[in-house]
């Protein structure tokens, strides 16, 4: 971690030197020419590569004119804004584009992973909750029904014989039931402090913020449950991709370059994102420093995995996409989920993801080995490792 606090301008110069209207879904209407590209994001570290690519001028290096990314408060707002054509690119929780493409028939495509890990299950510091088995009869918040968080939380509960339910906040619960709620990420720490919920699972910085401000405790890091799992992905409208593919390639080039920079410069990434730096996230550098530091080994169930609190790896491994789609079929959400039962998982995974652009971007910077210790005889395949304990 760097100890100094340079000015924003000096920081950006030093960092850069060191690293060297949308179509309405289904209408078939051509895209108008746009001089400026628009990006939307939630105030969470899941958005890091998009924000860093803007902050360090990597989009500009590719000849793209990208407006300062627009921050929104909730996943519903971000999804609706994307559907309305307000953003060309955004990050989304991986299950959301599954729902959009196969339930809502929106021509969305996943272009790359935005980051890996990056989330945690957080409880009050004095809570008796030590593991998933202790959530029986409790209330837990997730950021979206179609989220990695809801998926991972329910996997954990179900392995302990607990039943996720969706009941009113004041409903009585059986000792084997866990009542799930949707809360916008910024509301989670205060809801935990006010005892409206007993725990939550969400992306940082809202776990780190609760640790520092409210002395909350991390019960489990998500990357300590599913090794180097994807969480948010980069998405765009398929019509936009088809009509503006050179622009899409340039944008993905910038994002992949930003991911490599973030991986190599965690302290500087924390500063850039913070309100002490470029102010993309409304939290101080102190909080983000915690996010970009790896957990102590005694905080982890699987220290041998050597997984980071948040990681960066852009290639969308098909094995992970298939695992997510399959697991969604067993995850409780509000609304009709029959569309999932009819999905052919491998075919759906192939239809959802377009990895052409990220593959070229990786080749441009030296390959996927820049991001992971892959078996280079088969670098674009992996085994998904999930252990709840």
């Amino acid at each position: 971690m760097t100890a100094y606090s340079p000015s924003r301008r000096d920081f950006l110069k030093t960092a850069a030197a060191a690293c060297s209207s949308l179509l309405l879904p289904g209408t078939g209407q051509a895209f108008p020419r746009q001089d400026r590209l628009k990006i939307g994001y939630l105030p969470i570290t899941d958005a890091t590569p998009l924000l860093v690519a803007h902050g360090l001028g990597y989009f500009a290096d590719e000849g793209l004119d990208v407006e300062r990314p627009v921050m929104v408060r909730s996943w519903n707002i971000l999804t609706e804004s994307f559907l309305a054509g307000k953003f060309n690119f955004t990050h989304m929780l991986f299950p959301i584009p599954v729902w959009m493409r196969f339930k809502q028939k929106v021509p969305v495509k996943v272009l790359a992973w935005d980051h890996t890990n990056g989330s945690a299950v957080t409880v009050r510091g004095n809570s008796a909750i030590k593991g998933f088995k202790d959530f029986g009869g409790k209330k837990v918040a997730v950021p979206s029904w179609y989220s990695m968080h809801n998926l991972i939380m329910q996997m954990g509960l179900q392995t302990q014989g607990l039943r996720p339910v969706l009941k009113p906040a004041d409903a009585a619960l059986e000792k084997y039931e866990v009542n799930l709620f949707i809360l916008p990420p910024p509301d989670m720490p205060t809801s935990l402090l006010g005892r409206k919920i007993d725990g939550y699972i969400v992306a940082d910085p809202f776990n780190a913020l609760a640790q520092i401000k409210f002395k909350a405790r991390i019960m489990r890091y998500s990357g300590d449950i599913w090794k180097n799992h994807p969480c948010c992905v980069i998405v765009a409208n398929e019509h936009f991709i088809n009509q503006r593919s050179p622009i899409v390639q340039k944008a993905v080039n910038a994002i992949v370059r930003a991911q490599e920079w973030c991986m190599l410069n965690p302290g500087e990434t924390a500063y850039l994102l913070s309100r002490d730096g470029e102010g993309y996230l409304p939290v101080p550098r102190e909080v983000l420093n915690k996010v970009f530091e790896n957990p102590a080994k005694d905080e982890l169930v699987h220290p041998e995995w050597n997984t980071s609190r948040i990681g960066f790896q852009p290639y969308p491994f098909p094995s992970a996409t298939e695992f997510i789609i399959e697991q969604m079929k067993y995850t409780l959400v509000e609304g009709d989920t029959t569309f999932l039962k009819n999905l052919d998982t491998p075919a759906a995974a192939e239809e959802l993801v377009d990895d052409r652009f990220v593959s070229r971007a990786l080749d441009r910077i030296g390959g996927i080995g820049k991001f992971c210790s892959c078996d280079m005889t088969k670098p674009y395949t992996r085994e998904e490792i999930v252990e709840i304990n």
Side-chain angles (χ1 to χ4, degrees):
M1 292 290 175
T2 52
Y4 61 92
S5 295
S7 70
R8 294 181 183 184
R9 180 175 298 176
D10 288 343
F11 171 80
L12 293 175
K13 286 181 178 178
T14 301
C19 300
S20 340
S21 80
L22 278 177
L23 167 73
L24 290 177
T27 65
Q29 175 184 348
F31 281 86
R33 298 298 299 178
Q34 289 182 330
D35 294 328
R36 308 197 79 190
L37 297 176
K38 299 177 181 179
I39 290 172
Y41 73 101
L42 255 66
I44 52 179
T45 50
D46 291 18
T48 293
L50 287 166
L51 304 177
V52 168
H54 179 268
L56 293 184
Y58 290 168
F59 289 125
D61 288 350
E62 294 285 339
L64 301 177
D65 184 9
V66 178
E67 291 184 5
R68 183 180 173 91
V70 176
M71 182 172 67
V72 300
R73 182 174 174 81
S74 72
W75 288 111
N76 280 347
I77 295 172
L78 187 65
T79 302
E80 290 166 4
S81 298
F82 178 81
L83 292 174
K86 293 182 179 179
F87 302 126
N88 303 97
F89 300 97
T90 186
H91 67 113
M92 282 188 183
L93 296 167
F94 209 151
I96 293 177
V98 175
W99 167 80
M100 290 173 70
R101 188 168 187 98
F102 300 111
K103 172 74 183 293
Q104 302 302 108
K105 307 303 181 183
V106 175
V108 64
K109 281 282 192 178
V110 171
L111 296 173
W113 289 2
D114 197 36
H115 71 104
T116 58
N117 306 332
S119 297
V121 181
T122 297
V123 298
R124 286 184 291 276
N126 60 356
S127 172
I129 297 171
K130 307 298 183 185
F132 286 105
K133 62 181 175 56
D134 300 319
F135 276 115
K138 306 295 185 185
K139 296 183 286 188
V140 176
V142 298
S144 168
W145 294 127
Y146 289 102
S147 68
M148 298 298 295
H149 310 89
N150 190 32
L151 187 152
I152 289 173
M153 173 57 69
Q154 293 196 33
M155 285 169 53
L157 297 176
Q158 290 162 1
T159 62
Q160 302 302 314
L162 297 175
R163 181 190 299 171
V165 297
L166 310 179
K167 292 186 174 182
D170 58 353
L173 299 174
E174 301 290 345
K175 62 181 180 180
Y176 56 83
E177 293 181 327
V178 183
N179 205 3
L180 300 178
F181 297 89
I182 299 296
L183 280 179
D187 293 344
M188 291 186 179
T190 52
S191 294
L192 183 69
L193 181 68
R195 297 183 176 272
K196 295 179 181 178
I197 54 175
D198 298 292
Y200 61 79
I201 179 170
V202 77
D204 271 315
F206 297 107
N207 304 294
L209 183 67
Q211 284 180 287
I212 291 173
K213 190 170 181 180
F214 302 138
K215 300 193 182 305
R217 174 169 51 83
I218 302 297
M219 189 207 84
R220 194 78 180 272
Y221 292 101
S222 61
D224 195 34
I225 297 169
W226 178 0
K227 184 179 179 181
N228 293 327
H229 68 84
C231 186
C232 272
V233 290
I234 302 295
V235 301
N237 186 293
E238 187 172 7
H239 299 305
F240 179 79
I241 294 168
N242 292 339
Q243 295 179 25
R244 308 292 291 278
S245 58
I247 284 177
V248 173
Q249 185 64 67
K250 291 177 179 180
V252 174
N253 290 346
I255 292 165
V256 169
R257 185 181 172 196
Q259 288 187 328
E260 183 183 20
W261 189 87
C262 294
M263 186 176 63
L264 297 174
N265 300 278
E268 290 84 352
T269 303
Y271 173 76
L272 172 63
L273 297 177
S274 73
R275 67 187 184 204
D276 305 300
E278 283 299 297
Y280 292 109
L281 301 182
V283 291
R285 183 182 187 181
E286 174 194 14
V287 170
L288 291 173
N289 279 343
K290 195 169 189 66
V291 175
F292 288 94
E293 292 173 347
N294 288 335
K297 290 192 179 297
D298 61 5
E299 294 182 271
L300 300 171
V301 174
H302 298 291
E304 71 280 4
W305 288 0
N306 294 316
T307 54
S308 54
R309 182 161 177 160
I310 184 170
F312 300 96
Q313 191 293 114
Y315 185 74
F317 287 100
S319 56
T321 306
E322 292 181 17
F323 182 83
I324 291 163
I325 293 173
E326 197 62 28
Q327 197 61 43
M328 286 174 67
K329 298 178 182 182
Y330 306 100
T331 302
L332 179 66
V333 303
E334 284 188 339
D336 180 16
T337 60
T338 54
F339 76 98
L340 289 167
K341 295 181 175 61
N342 299 324
L343 283 183
D344 176 275
T345 296
E350 185 174 358
E351 180 181 338
L352 180 67
V353 177
D354 185 344
D355 65 5
R356 294 173 298 160
F357 303 98
V358 72
S359 295
R360 293 180 195 131
L362 282 166
D363 289 343
R364 187 183 183 201
I365 66 167
I368 196 171
K370 292 265 189 174
F371 293 94
C372 59
S373 301
C374 306
D375 178 353
M376 297 313 292
T377 63
K378 45 182 181 178
Y380 295 106
T381 61
R382 78 171 197 175
E383 178 187 2
E384 301 306 318
I385 299 174
V386 181
E387 292 188 16
I388 304 295
N389 297 84

